[in-house]
Every structure is written in C-alpha cells, then in structure tokens.
Amino acid sequence: MEFSPGCPLIDLVATYMPRLSEFTFEPGLVAAVDQHAAAVCDALIPAQRGPESRTVAREELADYVLGFTDWLSEVDWTEPVGHDFATLRLTAVCWLIREHDLLGV
C-alpha cells in the first residue's frame, strides 16, 4: 500500500489509535465508539450498496477525516481531557482503520 506524505489517516492514527487501549478500562467507551463508527460508515457507504458491502475505502475515509478536521479547525476545537463528540468520532475512525486494515496497523 502506498501513502501520500500528507495522508490525514497517518497523523490521525498516531494521535488517536492509543485511545483504543482505553476500551479495557471504560466499557461505555466501546459502545460510544461503536455508535460513532456506525455513523461514519453510514456517511461513507450508501444504503443502496447493502449491508454485505460495508467495506470502508481508505480514500473515502481520508476525505471524511479532512472535512471533519477542517471543521474542527474552523470552530477552534481543542482536545479535552476526557471524551467529547470529536474525540469519540476520531477514535471511531481509528477503530475503522484498524478493523479494515487501511494502513496495515
């Protein structure tokens, strides 16, 4: 797999993939991240493709991350100590990256 130097998924994984280790200590986090992952999939995968084709494409996910992080910049978001909507969404994207082996992680 080849990645462009500016691939937003690489930086995202470096920042948010470690949050997946919190699943062991915070069972509620698993449910929240799962809901966010489902919402991202719904945004990326048209319903007419059917449930059997729920595969997330790296390029589509990278575009989603670019748009989401651009919006976060526009609203001057700063990462909180705990979990807010944005950290849950970005953690969910990392979960999707791992589950779909989009970066070989």
Side-chain angles (χ1 to χ4, degrees):
M1 230 181 262
E2 231 176 271
F3 305 104
S4 63
C7 179
L9 300 181
I10 295 170
D11 290 338
L12 183 74
V13 165
T15 304
Y16 290 94
M17 190 67 80
R19 285 186 175 256
L20 296 181
S21 66
E22 296 173 25
F23 282 5
T24 305
F25 308 107
E26 297 185 44
L29 181 60
V30 176
V33 168
D34 184 57
Q35 290 176 347
H36 279 270
V40 171
C41 285
D42 288 347
L44 297 178
I45 302 168
Q48 63 267 26
R49 282 183 24 195
E52 66 281 350
S53 64
R54 300 281 295 173
T55 302
V56 175
R58 180 171 41 103
E59 295 78 16
E60 290 172 337
L61 195 57
D63 287 345
Y64 178 87
V65 167
L66 281 175
F68 189 71
T69 55
D70 283 350
W71 174 75
L72 291 176
S73 293
E74 288 173 16
V75 298
D76 291 325
W77 175 80
T78 55
E79 185 176 351
V81 172
H83 303 284
D84 66 353
F85 178 87
T87 58
L88 290 170
R89 187 57 55 109
L90 295 169
T91 302
V93 169
C94 285
W95 184 84
L96 289 168
I97 290 167
R98 184 184 71 187
E99 292 303 302
H100 294 274
D101 196 26
L102 298 178
L103 294 179
V105 294

